[in-house]
Amino acid sequence: MPDEQTFPLARAELIALFMESMLFGAFTVLYAIAAWILLYREKLRGRSRTNRMLFGTSTVMWVLSVAHLAIDIVRAVQGFVVWGAREANGAESFYNIVSDPTEVAKDVVYITMTLVADSFVSYRLWVVWNRVWWVLIIPVLLLIATAIAGYGACVEVGLTKAGDAIFAGNLKPWIESFFALSLTTNLFATLLIAARIMWSNRRVRRYRPKGAPVAGSHWEVIETMIQSAAIYSAALISLLGTYLANSNAQYVCLDTIQPLIGIVFTLIIIRVGLGYTVNDSVSGGGNVSGHGAAGGGIPAVQLQSAVSGVDTNAYPLQPVAINVSVSRTYDRASFEGFGYDRKDAPMSSDVESGTAASL
């Protein structure tokens, strides 16, 4: 059983609510910036399918975070105000009721949020690997297993008898499996994405001009992907560790992960979107990009990199020398036969030739 004296459940829930509120505020700001990048800056050149998908996914995450925070606020009022007025340890007694409908609803929202994030990670992996179906076999199986473990845990929570804590024996296998499967899905997909980007970069190196510095854009994308996966993985490991230790600190980890998922997702969009503006203004002409940036919009191919992790920003062109030879021959008899004056025909020579070179 958790040590209620060192870290009481009511205190853990109050700290968790504070941390979730702070992170939700950060997520809201990042969501607004991401929406501006995906919609406002694209209005002059049209909104691509990728933009709409990214905006829809981030919106679903934000709505789920709002629902999760609202449920936590309702539970805090119920525990500290309603139950707290009835008895001395009213809040503690309320939060110990694991099968309360608000607790079950809160868990369902968290499971759904996790599945949305894991599904998009799998989609990103599929895009990076040129949409080959076999690369999704393991991620889809992991995703299905995660959904079964997560929603199965919600059912078990709803059936828990009064007095049983979240660390009850019938709940542990479901909850531990859910955390472990979600962590495995993210690590597996991130490693395959990073490997594919590095492999693709090796193939395009042959098209770079000799002596040109190697562009670091692909490393920035890999860095973004690894950092995002590291943040989420560290939070999941902390949650799994505190739960295995039967510590009430797992409530703090659990509530902070909800907005953290959205923060990680929107940070990728913002870093790629705003990073394009810097690269575009610095590189100027002489680059090849998937779509023009006229009007200040982000090319769809650049926003595609936010989904797939492949940065197709720009590659310098090889300088090509072009030699042009021009030769003109004039027939004086033909000019005279058609009524041309001799002064209109070249007088110096019958043949003119020249060579011009340009880059």
Side-chain angles (χ1 to χ4, degrees):
M1 296 294 294
D3 191 354
E4 294 290 344
Q5 295 181 350
T6 58
F7 199 32
L9 178 57
R11 181 184 301 174
E13 291 283 359
L14 193 60
I15 295 175
L17 178 61
F18 172 76
M19 295 296 296
E20 182 182 5
S21 301
M22 294 286 290
L23 291 177
F24 174 77
F27 178 33
T28 301
V29 174
L30 294 176
Y31 168 74
I33 298 174
W36 174 74
I37 291 174
L38 294 172
L39 301 180
Y40 177 75
R41 293 180 60 186
E42 286 289 292
K43 67 179 181 180
L44 296 180
R45 59 178 304 276
R47 298 166 186 171
S48 67
R49 179 182 178 184
T50 303
N51 292 19
R52 293 191 295 269
M53 184 181 299
L54 287 168
F55 176 72
T57 304
S58 58
T59 301
V60 170
M61 289 183 175
W62 186 80
V63 171
L64 290 174
S65 295
V66 171
H68 193 275
L69 180 60
I71 295 174
D72 276 339
I73 294 175
V74 170
R75 287 175 55 80
V77 173
Q78 189 74 13
F80 290 98
V81 178
V82 178
W83 283 64
R86 297 178 184 175
E87 52 185 282
N89 294 324
E92 197 80 19
S93 301
F94 172 75
Y95 283 117
N96 274 320
I97 304 176
V98 180
S99 59
D100 187 83
T102 56
E103 176 66 25
V104 177
K106 171 183 172 180
D107 294 338
V108 170
V109 171
Y110 168 70
I111 300 300
T112 305
M113 181 77 159
T114 302
L115 292 177
V116 170
D118 291 351
S119 299
F120 207 87
V121 169
S122 300
Y123 172 78
R124 183 187 297 132
L125 174 65
W126 178 63
V127 173
V128 169
W129 282 79
N130 294 328
R131 293 175 168 83
V132 292
W133 63 269
W134 53 265
V135 78
L136 286 178
I137 295 177
I138 295 180
V140 169
L141 292 176
L142 289 172
L143 190 63
I144 294 174
T146 303
I148 294 174
Y151 290 120
C154 294
V155 174
E156 288 293 330
V157 168
L159 298 177
T160 301
K161 298 179 181 179
D164 290 342
I166 196 67
F167 308 103
N170 63 317
L171 297 178
K172 272 199 167 185
W174 294 95
I175 297 177
E176 292 173 0
S177 299
F178 172 78
F179 294 154
L181 287 169
S182 180
L183 178 62
T184 303
T185 302
N186 280 270
L187 292 179
F188 178 79
T190 302
L191 289 176
L192 286 184
I193 290 172
R196 179 70 176 185
I197 295 174
M198 290 187 290
W199 177 77
S200 299
N201 182 72
R202 289 180 179 272
R203 296 185 61 187
V204 301
R205 281 183 180 178
R206 68 186 68 177
Y207 300 108
R208 299 182 187 275
K210 294 181 179 180
V214 178
S217 58
H218 64 288
W219 291 114
E220 294 176 0
V221 174
I222 295 175
E223 181 184 359
T224 301
M225 297 294 301
I226 293 178
Q227 287 178 352
S228 301
I231 294 173
Y232 182 58
S233 300
L236 270 179
I237 292 173
S238 300
L239 176 58
L240 181 60
T242 52
Y243 184 79
L244 292 176
N246 293 341
S247 172
N248 284 331
Q250 68 96 20
Y251 290 100
V252 179
C253 298
L254 181 64
D255 288 349
T256 55
I257 284 182
Q258 179 77 20
L260 188 63
I261 294 174
I263 289 175
V264 170
F265 183 81
T266 51
L267 277 177
I268 297 178
I269 299 175
I270 293 172
R271 179 163 184 178
V272 175
L274 297 183
Y276 172 78
T277 303
V278 175
N279 293 334
D280 182 63
S281 60
V282 172
S283 61
N287 290 329
V288 176
S289 60
H291 295 277
I298 299 179
V301 66
Q302 190 68 14
L303 289 176
Q304 179 76 5
S305 64
V307 180
S308 63
V310 176
D311 190 359
T312 54
N313 181 32
Y315 294 97
L317 287 174
Q318 290 270 16
V320 179
I322 302 175
N323 295 320
V324 180
S325 298
V326 180
S327 178
R328 295 193 295 268
T329 304
Y330 302 92
D331 189 344
R332 295 177 185 237
S334 298
F335 283 122
E336 295 174 356
F338 285 96
Y340 283 86
D341 293 334
R342 295 181 63 89
K343 63 181 180 179
D344 296 329
M347 301 299 297
S348 57
S349 63
D350 290 338
V351 179
E352 294 180 357
S353 63
T355 301
S358 62
L359 293 179

